[in-house]
Amino acid sequence: MKHSLFTLALCLSFFSGYAIASPLPDRVAFSVVGQVQDAESEAVAFANVALYAASDSSLVKVETTDEAGLFRMQGVAGGSYRLVITYLGAPDLTRLLDIFQDLDLGVLRMAPASIELAEATVTAQRALVEVKPDRTVFNVEGTINAVGNDGLDLLRKAPGVNVDNNDNINVLGRSGVLVYVDGKRLPLSGTDLSNYLRNLTAEQIDRIDIITNPGAKYEAEGNAGIIDIRLKKSENEGANGTATSTFSQGRYSRLSSGLSGNYRNKRFNTFGSLNHYTSQFWNAFAFTGIQNGLRLRETNSFYTDNNTPSFRFGTDVFLSDKHTLGFLVNGRFSDIDATTRNQVIVYGSPTAVQPDSILRANNLADRDRNQQTYNLNYQYRMDEARSLTVDLDYGRFRNASLLDQPNRYFSPGGEALSETINFFDTPTDIDIYTAKADYEQPLAGGQFGTGLKVSRVATENAFLFYDILAGTQVLSTSRSNRFDYTENVYAAYLNYSGQLSEAVSYSLGVRSELTDATGDLRAFEEDLREPPVELNYLSFFPSAGITYQLDAEKGNSLSLNYGRRINRPDYNVLNPFRIQLSQLSYERGNPFLNPEIVDNIELGYTLAYRYNFKLGYSETANQITRLIGPDRDDPRASFISWDNLASQRVISFNVSAPVTVSPWWNLYVNASASHLDNQADYGDGVTIDLQAFTYNAFVQNTFKLPWGLTGEVSGYYSGPGVWGGVFEYQDNGSLNLGLQRKFLNDQLNVKLSANDILYTTGWRGRSEFAGLVSQGNGNWDSRRIGLSLTYTFGKQGIKSRERKSGLEEEAGRVN
């Protein structure tokens, strides 16, 4: 390991040292001036004017127009750029520029909002979906039907994203996506991730960035790419604030309230928010399985009562024009009480009418989640092309879970046969430490970037199994364990972007990551102890992209991108503890999982800056997947576990198209299709050879109605697909309605929504694996009516520049 570390550091030092020491090529600085007018030839004051490099769409410079609509950019290096002018209530104005002399662009006239839909579907609103060179942006504020939704609901609506029946998130038919919040990775998975997203209300979310093929600058983790959830944050100068309250009612109610604000001047920006969320969540599922000559009918009903306060506070200090120092603190405290009613009816044969026995387990769970993250950021911007950014992060996650589980067996006539009562105490502590530095500078006519990142994840998991005997808890040392997992990742990357001609731009990168991980399962009894599972490997992840401007004036372009990524098994899937709904139904991890490696290729085509098409192919080795199989010891029991597939191949296609049907009717369509091929051979005749074709579509209609109202009709349809390795699910969908009106000079925004009005979001499907044939179905509290009130107060002034951090820094954009 020491030799690998030395080799990695030596390679990085050589390349980064060469880049910094190399003399910069001669570059002449130019100026760009112009005036922005609206469709009536009136000056547009305080419009944002941004200049992006044509090679990689990184932000080069940003200015605002003065009261006469005039702007001036100085110190612009020679090259090809994309000029984008944005103003609230009007479509973006885009110009492609070759700057090799001082330019006077004269009058730049913006179109009225009703003409163009590409960047503004409704007056004074952003487009619902924006497709950018490196990502797809789902603007939550662009949909009225977000009212009453949580983060998991919104991901179901996001383009190219699918959330299956077990809350697993897929992008373009691929699993293994990483979830970030404000550019910081969430170290959660499984139920913990689902609970976190359910506690994140739509009113807290500004947008969701979907990055399907990240470059070398991003960490290599995440086979399907990255989903970055961006929370709301005011960008205006002066004092600003927003108060929000949302209530929705389905089978049970949800209520969220929040207060956020900030104060900004030329020296600092201080911002913060307080939120409180309460909800009652319900879902249910049922399975009928045939195994070992038996038929079992299992039903589950879950009720969860959630109470979650949270806070967010941060400050950016602008030390000078070149130096910015900032910190950010997030906290979330959840008190979750859950009730699960599990019943398993056991039949002696697949065709038997009379059951042999009935097991009922009415579980009571108490879960506490205490989560805080801390970030310290420093940015040194030497000039428009050279910058150094340093981030230090610490995340502290403390999860406590207590479960009381009585297992009671009854005869078909209802007579009590036996009873076994168990109690589980399963705390999990997670600590995450991260340090990273990124440096960029011009080199040989292009842009060079390099960086280092060191991260450490340490988890301590306890599984304490108690038998309740005569009302007393007795620890079962044969079934109790402790599982500690430590993962250190040392990463370095090199990236370069440039142009081959005015029409052709490219980017090349490579990232190396050294992984040192240990999983230590410590049994209470000496004869049950096993040696730790250790992983130590060095991997390289190349990436490349090329873009060809077919017709720059009309906005037609073609792009081809390649990337190699990894998905490491985390503590949830490695932990071998037996988490059970009852004695006959449980799930467990697999400490012997291998990391999965995927190669992604994507071909994209953009027409008229508006219509976007993407064709993708991915091939994954050692795909980590969930499998449903029979228990080896108890012929009546079944379980869900994790294993590696030999390979998985996915071919996908996605199209997004905004359409102006009329001046009062805007339409947005996003559709995807994919073909999946799963292959595996576990020996003893247990194989997987499964192919499936699936498709889904999301459609949103936005209508301008009388009396200042805005109406919305949206919905999605998802065709048949595959969950995990073998579970084939059938189609499902949702139809949603929304209405919005603003009052008090647009400071008060009132939204009314009705989601899943036909109650068609549920799932159903079938699996066959290792002698277990299982059919199941499920649904949750998705049919809801919601009301949201948002009041904005304070000075609503000119937008100011934000410091870059997290994934925004990596994408070269300003928040």
Side-chain angles (χ1 to χ4, degrees):
M1 172 183 169
K2 291 182 179 178
H3 177 71
S4 300
L5 275 172
F6 175 78
T7 303
L8 181 65
L10 183 63
C11 291
L12 177 73
S13 300
F14 172 78
F15 282 106
S16 59
Y18 168 79
I20 296 174
S22 299
L24 297 178
D26 293 335
R27 301 174 67 88
V28 180
F30 305 104
S31 64
V32 181
V33 299
Q35 183 187 36
V36 181
Q37 296 182 359
D38 61 18
E40 285 73 38
S41 299
E42 296 291 333
V44 178
F46 310 129
N48 289 327
V49 184
L51 194 66
Y52 297 93
S55 59
D56 60 357
S57 295
S58 61
L59 181 69
V60 175
K61 200 170 184 65
V62 64
E63 299 289 351
T64 57
T65 59
D66 60 18
E67 294 183 356
L70 299 171
F71 69 90
R72 175 182 294 273
M73 292 183 172
Q74 295 179 320
V76 180
S80 297
Y81 299 90
R82 181 165 55 94
L83 185 77
V84 180
I85 302 174
T86 57
Y87 186 72
L88 198 64
D92 289 1
L93 177 63
T94 301
R95 291 288 185 271
L96 298 178
L97 305 177
D98 291 322
I99 303 176
F100 296 102
Q101 61 181 358
D102 293 338
L103 289 184
D104 186 348
L105 301 179
V107 174
L108 299 170
R109 187 164 285 111
M110 305 191 76
S114 61
I115 294 178
E116 193 70 54
L117 182 65
E119 300 295 337
T121 56
V122 183
T123 301
Q125 276 191 319
R126 291 175 292 175
L128 174 66
V129 175
E130 300 172 77
V131 181
K132 299 186 177 182
D134 68 329
R135 66 188 60 200
T136 299
V137 181
F138 179 47
N139 289 308
V140 173
E141 285 191 315
T143 172
I144 303 168
N145 289 328
V147 173
N149 284 184
D150 55 43
L152 203 60
D153 295 329
L154 293 174
L155 287 180
R156 297 180 195 276
K157 300 179 179 182
V161 179
N162 181 52
V163 181
D164 65 24
N165 57 292
N166 207 48
D167 294 342
N168 294 302
I169 303 169
N170 300 310
V171 176
L172 296 178
R174 307 195 303 258
S175 61
V177 66
L178 289 188
V179 177
Y180 285 67
V181 174
D182 283 337
K184 306 300 178 185
R185 178 184 169 188
L186 278 178
L188 304 175
S189 61
T191 303
D192 289 333
L193 177 59
S194 300
N195 289 334
Y196 181 93
L197 294 175
R198 285 197 177 98
N199 291 335
L200 204 59
T201 65
E203 288 67 38
Q204 296 174 259
I205 300 174
D206 176 61
R207 70 180 193 273
I208 300 174
D209 291 354
I210 305 158
I211 310 169
T212 59
N213 207 0
K217 192 171 185 178
Y218 300 89
E219 63 179 284
E221 181 80 9
N223 283 356
I226 293 168
I227 292 178
D228 188 21
I229 300 173
R230 288 282 165 174
L231 303 181
K232 291 180 180 178
K233 178 180 175 182
S234 177
E235 301 175 5
N236 295 330
E237 289 187 347
N240 306 272
T242 301
T244 301
S245 182
T246 299
F247 175 80
S248 68
Q249 181 68 49
R251 182 176 222 170
Y252 298 101
S253 63
R254 301 178 190 175
L255 174 65
S256 65
S257 301
L259 181 65
S260 62
N262 84 301
Y263 179 79
R264 171 191 289 272
N265 59 27
K266 294 181 179 181
R267 292 296 180 188
F268 67 90
N269 176 44
T270 297
F271 54 92
S273 64
L274 294 172
N275 295 279
H276 190 263
Y277 176 64
T278 59
S279 71
Q280 292 78 44
F281 180 79
W282 169 87
N283 71 315
F285 66 81
F287 278 98
T288 298
I290 297 176
Q291 64 186 63
N292 302 315
L294 304 174
R295 177 163 59 92
L296 299 100
R297 172 67 176 171
E298 179 184 356
T299 57
N300 288 277
S301 178
F302 302 87
Y303 170 81
T304 303
D305 193 340
N306 188 344
N307 182 24
T308 301
S310 62
F311 70 90
R312 184 169 182 258
F313 176 74
T315 298
D316 295 329
V317 180
F318 311 117
L319 303 174
S320 69
D321 292 339
K322 295 183 177 181
H323 300 272
T324 302
L325 183 66
F327 72 89
L328 178 64
V329 181
N330 286 280
R332 181 178 298 271
F333 311 91
S334 297
D335 181 12
I336 303 171
D337 295 321
T339 302
T340 304
R341 298 186 180 277
N342 174 275
Q343 177 176 276
V344 181
I345 304 176
V346 182
Y347 296 86
S349 72
T351 58
V353 176
Q354 183 76 6
D356 286 354
S357 61
I358 301 171
L359 169 63
R360 295 192 180 102
N362 296 330
N363 303 311
L364 296 176
D366 182 8
R367 307 187 188 106
D368 293 325
R369 302 290 185 261
N370 186 331
Q371 305 167 350
Q372 297 102 44
T373 60
Y374 307 86
N375 168 255
L376 182 64
N377 172 273
Y378 168 73
Q379 184 181 90
Y380 174 32
R381 184 160 291 279
M382 303 161 217
D383 52 39
E384 293 297 332
R386 294 191 301 163
S387 65
L388 172 66
T389 303
V390 178
D391 272 284
L392 301 176
D393 291 277
Y394 170 65
R396 183 181 185 274
F397 300 81
R398 298 293 182 265
N399 302 329
S401 181
L402 303 174
L403 173 64
D404 183 22
Q405 183 180 94
N407 291 274
R408 297 185 173 97
Y409 290 88
F410 297 88
S411 69
E415 179 184 355
L417 300 177
S418 63
E419 178 183 78
T420 302
I421 302 178
N422 301 125
F423 183 80
F424 302 84
D425 184 0
T426 55
T428 297
D429 294 346
I430 309 173
D431 291 283
I432 301 176
Y433 308 86
T434 301
K436 74 183 187 76
D438 299 286
Y439 175 78
E440 291 185 352
Q441 72 165 51
L443 180 66
Q447 190 74 5
F448 170 80
T450 186
L452 286 170
K453 182 175 182 180
V454 179
S455 65
R456 175 181 175 84
V457 179
T459 71
E460 296 181 359
N461 310 269
F463 182 79
L464 305 179
F465 183 99
Y466 295 89
D467 292 311
I468 306 300
L469 303 176
T472 302
Q473 295 181 3
V474 179
L475 179 68
S476 173
T477 56
S478 64
R479 300 189 62 179
S480 298
N481 300 279
R482 295 187 184 276
F483 181 73
D484 295 340
Y485 178 70
T486 303
E487 178 184 277
N488 299 311
V489 178
Y490 310 91
Y493 74 89
L494 302 171
N495 195 72
Y496 185 81
S497 59
Q499 286 191 272
L500 297 176
S501 67
E502 292 184 4
V504 181
S505 58
Y506 68 93
S507 64
L508 298 170
V510 63
R511 185 181 185 91
S512 59
E513 292 191 351
L514 176 63
T515 303
D516 179 19
T518 301
D520 187 9
L521 177 64
R522 293 177 290 152
F524 282 78
E525 297 184 3
E526 186 67 31
D527 59 340
L528 296 178
R529 293 183 181 178
E530 299 180 3
V533 177
E534 297 185 353
L535 301 173
N536 192 314
Y537 51 90
L538 176 65
S539 304
F540 292 89
F541 303 95
S543 61
I546 187 168
T547 301
Y548 178 50
Q549 298 288 342
L550 300 172
D551 190 330
E553 291 295 327
K554 295 183 179 180
N556 302 337
S557 64
L558 191 66
S559 63
L560 180 65
N561 292 279
Y562 163 77
R564 190 169 191 257
R565 301 185 63 76
I566 189 173
N567 196 33
R568 303 176 184 88
D570 63 23
Y571 71 95
N572 266 321
V573 301
L574 291 171
N575 193 329
F577 298 162
R578 179 168 165 160
I579 308 300
Q580 59 187 50
L581 293 171
S582 70
Q583 287 183 331
L584 301 183
S585 179
Y586 64 93
E587 71 172 273
R588 67 184 182 194
N590 180 357
F592 303 103
L593 286 172
N594 293 314
E596 57 186 26
I597 302 291
V598 64
D599 291 280
N600 295 322
I601 299 177
E602 293 180 357
L603 177 65
Y605 175 65
T606 300
L607 176 65
Y609 295 113
R610 302 173 60 185
Y611 309 104
N612 294 273
F613 308 86
K614 182 177 291 185
L615 178 66
Y617 172 79
S618 71
E619 185 167 334
T620 306
N622 290 323
Q623 170 77 30
I624 298 173
T625 190
R626 281 193 165 189
L627 298 172
I628 306 175
D631 184 84
R632 294 182 178 181
D633 300 323
D634 190 335
R636 304 168 300 168
S638 62
F639 67 94
I640 297 175
S641 187
W642 298 87
D643 216 320
N644 292 111
L645 295 176
S647 67
Q648 181 185 81
R649 296 179 179 88
V650 178
I651 301 174
S652 61
F653 178 74
N654 178 261
V655 57
S656 62
V659 180
T660 301
V661 181
S662 72
W664 52 271
W665 179 9
N666 291 325
L667 172 68
Y668 174 78
V669 179
N670 184 278
S672 299
S674 62
H675 180 270
L676 177 146
D677 181 8
N678 284 346
Q679 298 290 328
D681 187 347
Y682 300 106
D684 297 327
V686 180
T687 63
I688 294 176
D689 182 5
L690 179 63
Q691 295 79 39
F693 175 77
T694 187
Y695 49 91
N696 59 78
F698 175 78
V699 179
Q700 176 166 305
N701 299 270
T702 306
F703 306 95
K704 294 181 181 178
L705 304 176
W707 308 296
L709 293 170
T710 300
E712 186 176 290
V713 179
S714 67
Y716 79 88
Y717 174 79
S718 178
V722 175
W723 169 72
V726 294
F727 190 84
E728 300 177 78
Y729 62 82
Q730 300 179 30
D731 58 338
N732 62 82
S734 176
L735 178 63
N736 313 306
L737 305 176
L739 198 63
Q740 173 182 268
R741 195 182 192 286
K742 295 184 177 181
F743 302 89
L744 304 177
N745 296 321
D746 292 346
Q747 287 184 280
L748 176 63
N749 191 3
V750 180
K751 297 180 180 180
L752 180 67
S753 70
N755 284 283
D756 195 18
I757 60 175
L758 302 179
Y759 203 41
T760 52
T761 305
W763 59 269
R764 58 195 183 279
R766 180 182 186 275
S767 73
E768 184 172 352
F769 177 72
L772 170 61
V773 178
S774 182
Q775 292 184 332
N777 62 83
N779 50 59
W780 59 91
D781 198 6
S782 58
R783 182 164 53 185
R784 312 187 65 80
I785 295 177
L787 175 65
S788 172
L789 303 176
T790 302
Y791 181 73
T792 304
F793 53 90
K795 179 182 177 182
Q796 303 301 308
I798 306 170
K799 286 188 176 182
S800 300
R801 295 187 65 177
E802 292 275 1
R803 71 171 173 93
K804 298 181 182 179
S805 63
L807 293 183
E808 287 294 333
E809 170 65 27
E810 296 177 353
R813 283 190 170 80
V814 180
N815 278 340

